[in-house]
């Protein structure tokens, strides 16, 4: 990866500078990161951003890079990003059926 090449963020969150720097310094973690879906990247980013203390954030970034190096694709025990909208139910009018095509 060249110095000027950007690292992709998530679907809701942009990549924080400190996480991007850590990924650049862990080439194996970066390979996994680049292979993640935007939604999976978003989960990692939101997990890092949700830390309340700077030392917790730093630990999450280090732990995350170690896990990404090992090929893990999601943060462990993370319920998911609360910032993106979730589809909880499908409206009946949105469902295609053979009857509606007639």
């Amino acid at each position: 990866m060249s110095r000027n090449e950007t690292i992709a963020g998530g679907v809701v969150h942009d990549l924080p500078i400190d996480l991007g720097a850590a990924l650049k310094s862990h080439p194996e973690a970066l390979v996994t990161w680049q292979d993640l879906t935007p939604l999976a990247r978003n989960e990692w980013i939101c997990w890092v951003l949700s830390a309340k203390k700077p030392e917790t954030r730093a630990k999450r970034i280090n732990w995350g890079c170690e896990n990404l190096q090992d090929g893990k694709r999601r943060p462990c025990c993370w319920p998911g990003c609360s910032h993106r909208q979730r589809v909880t139910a499908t409206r009946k009018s949105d469902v295609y059926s053979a009857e509606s095509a007639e």
Side-chain angles (χ1 to χ4, degrees):
M1 167 174 257
S2 70
R3 279 193 155 317
N4 296 331
E5 193 173 338
T6 60
I7 302 172
V11 293
V12 175
H13 301 291
D14 293 329
L15 184 69
I17 293 170
D18 52 353
L19 179 55
L23 288 168
K24 284 182 180 179
S25 68
H26 293 86
E28 293 175 20
L30 182 56
V31 168
T32 302
W33 182 266
Q34 291 173 320
D35 190 48
L36 295 176
T37 64
L39 186 59
R41 288 191 306 265
N42 194 76
E43 298 302 314
W44 282 104
I45 295 168
C46 190
W47 178 68
V48 167
L49 293 175
S50 70
K52 305 248 186 304
K53 298 179 182 177
E55 54 270 16
T56 303
R57 182 176 172 132
K59 285 179 187 177
R60 288 184 181 186
I61 289 172
N62 290 329
W63 185 88
C65 285
E66 290 172 7
N67 279 268
L68 286 164
Q69 283 178 177
D70 293 340
K72 299 210 169 106
R73 303 182 70 77
R74 301 278 177 155
C76 174
C77 310
W78 176 245
C81 178
S82 61
H83 302 100
R84 64 182 172 88
Q85 292 181 337
R86 293 190 180 354
V87 177
T88 56
T90 304
R91 294 189 314 240
K92 189 174 181 177
S93 61
D94 292 341
V95 177
Y96 175 82
S97 70
E99 294 172 6
S100 62
E102 294 177 359

